[in-house]
Amino acid sequence: MLVREDKKWDYAVGMVKVDGLMPSKVMKELMEKEEKGEITMAQVREALDRTYCRRKE
């Protein structure tokens, strides 16, 4: 693992900030839920895919 488990969200937010952006409200809520153990990383990915990766049908 390249990033320690307890630092993964700090790393992710830092990568977003490098581009001059900030995490969305949705992303912050997902991060908090995952940190509390309320959802899994797989559920975070699914929620982000539903929100940001809508397929053209």
Side-chain angles (χ1 to χ4, degrees), residues 1-52:
M1 177 183 290
L2 297 175
V3 179
R4 289 188 353 216
E5 180 70 20
D6 63 328
K7 297 293 183 186
K8 67 181 178 232
W9 288 121
D10 292 336
Y11 181 82
V13 170
M15 294 300 292
V16 170
K17 287 182 176 180
V18 164
D19 290 329
L21 305 170
M22 294 298 293
S24 68
K25 181 180 176 182
V26 170
M27 185 65 188
K28 287 179 184 179
E29 290 171 358
L30 292 168
M31 289 166 44
E32 289 176 16
K33 286 181 178 183
E34 193 276 333
E35 286 177 333
K36 292 177 183 177
E38 296 173 4
I39 61 174
T40 65
M41 281 304 294
Q43 290 170 310
V44 171
R45 285 187 207 101
E46 289 170 10
L48 292 173
D49 284 347
R50 281 193 308 274
T51 302
Y52 298 109

